[in-house]
Amino acid sequence: MQTLTPILSTVTAAFLASFVEVVEAFTIVLAVGVTRSWRPALTGAALALALLAALVLAFGPLLALVPITTLQFVVGVLLILFGMRWLRKAILRSVGVIALHDEEAAFSKETAALNQQANDRRADYLAGLASFKAVLLEGVEVVFIVIAVGAAHGQTLYASLGALAAFFLVMLIGLAVHRPLARVPENALKFVVGLMLTSFGIFWTGEGIGADWPGADLALLAIFAIVALASFAMVRWLRSTYPVSVGGLAR
């Protein structure tokens, strides 16, 4: 159990976080493919994936040169900051302070922008650039999450498998429905991912400064439960403070 807990947590965190990011990148690539053509859409996506792979191959081995306690502390702090950013937005969305992310709206916005560029001589270039940017930006977040949840405990392989599973699942669903994945409960996923990343961050930061967690790896579950309870208490308090949805007041 003490061995399986961090592995399952790592795979789940990488899968859920990557699933959300891949869905957002897929929406833009789909908009480019449907509105313009699949050539610039797939070319832009392929170039972005190649650049991401090159960055991982170039800088990934450098992590092995960093002392494990330093790596755990740095990654832990970054995960706390990154996870709390996701958690903050998910909490505010759940009480209506921030509007929910809408893949249909994102798809419509992108197709409208591409239609306006239809007569531009650089239309194919601009379409490919949109696809490239979407995949690169979302991909960088996926790479960060995979490294962050995997490297601090030597589980980068498991984190990578979780991310790859998310990628293939989104591609299979996307190719089947051939439209934006609007029914994906993105805010619920982001809420869970925010809880997991924050919990990982607290755990790794503690390990980095030499903390002796009660129950070893099982402490991660207790940390997750405490962070979740605090977050749900925050949601309940905000709902009592803002009983009426005011949508989009904060960013």
Side-chain angles (χ1 to χ4, degrees):
M1 182 66 179
Q2 290 187 357
T3 303
L4 285 178
T5 299
I7 294 176
L8 292 175
S9 301
T10 298
V11 172
T12 303
F15 174 82
L16 294 178
S18 301
F19 190 87
V20 173
E21 302 297 348
V22 176
V23 165
E24 293 181 359
F26 173 80
T27 298
I28 304 302
V29 175
L30 179 66
V32 173
V34 171
T35 307
R36 188 63 191 173
S37 75
W38 286 105
R39 183 177 179 181
L42 296 179
T43 300
L47 288 174
L49 289 174
L51 179 56
L52 285 170
L55 291 174
V56 171
L57 291 174
F59 296 104
L62 297 179
L63 292 175
L65 303 177
V66 181
I68 187 62
T69 53
T70 302
L71 183 62
Q72 288 173 330
F73 179 77
V74 172
V75 166
V77 172
L78 291 176
L79 274 179
I80 291 174
L81 297 174
F82 198 66
M84 291 191 71
R85 175 172 164 264
W86 277 48
L87 200 51
R88 170 187 167 274
K89 287 187 175 181
I91 289 173
L92 292 177
R93 286 191 176 109
S94 69
V95 297
V97 177
I98 293 179
L100 293 172
H101 187 76
D102 187 340
E103 290 301 333
E104 289 282 5
F107 181 81
S108 299
K109 181 180 178 182
E110 190 63 32
T111 53
L114 290 168
N115 283 328
Q116 288 181 345
Q117 299 166 352
N119 296 324
D120 194 312
R121 289 187 303 173
R122 304 173 300 160
D124 280 345
Y125 166 77
L126 295 173
L129 184 61
S131 179
F132 175 83
K133 286 170 59 180
V135 174
L136 183 64
L137 292 176
E138 305 299 343
V140 166
E141 289 203 51
V142 170
V143 169
F144 170 76
I145 290 168
V146 167
I147 291 175
V149 301
H153 217 254
Q155 295 173 351
T156 306
L157 175 62
Y158 294 113
S160 300
L161 291 176
L164 280 176
F167 174 80
F168 286 116
L169 182 58
V170 171
M171 291 301 106
L172 287 174
I173 298 174
L175 291 174
V177 301
H178 209 64
R179 56 182 302 163
L181 305 185
R183 294 187 178 181
V184 173
E186 279 197 43
N187 197 55
L189 290 178
K190 288 181 175 179
F191 198 108
V192 174
V193 172
L195 292 175
M196 298 190 76
L197 295 184
T198 304
S199 302
F200 269 109
I202 295 171
F203 186 80
W204 295 143
T205 302
E207 294 236 314
I209 60 177
D212 186 14
W213 292 109
D217 293 334
L218 289 176
L220 188 57
L221 298 178
I223 296 171
F224 179 86
I226 293 171
V227 175
L229 285 174
S231 300
F232 285 121
M234 181 69 71
V235 170
R236 187 171 181 177
W237 176 74
L238 285 172
R239 282 179 177 164
S240 65
T241 306
Y242 302 96
V244 179
S245 174
V246 293
L249 285 183
R251 294 292 174 198

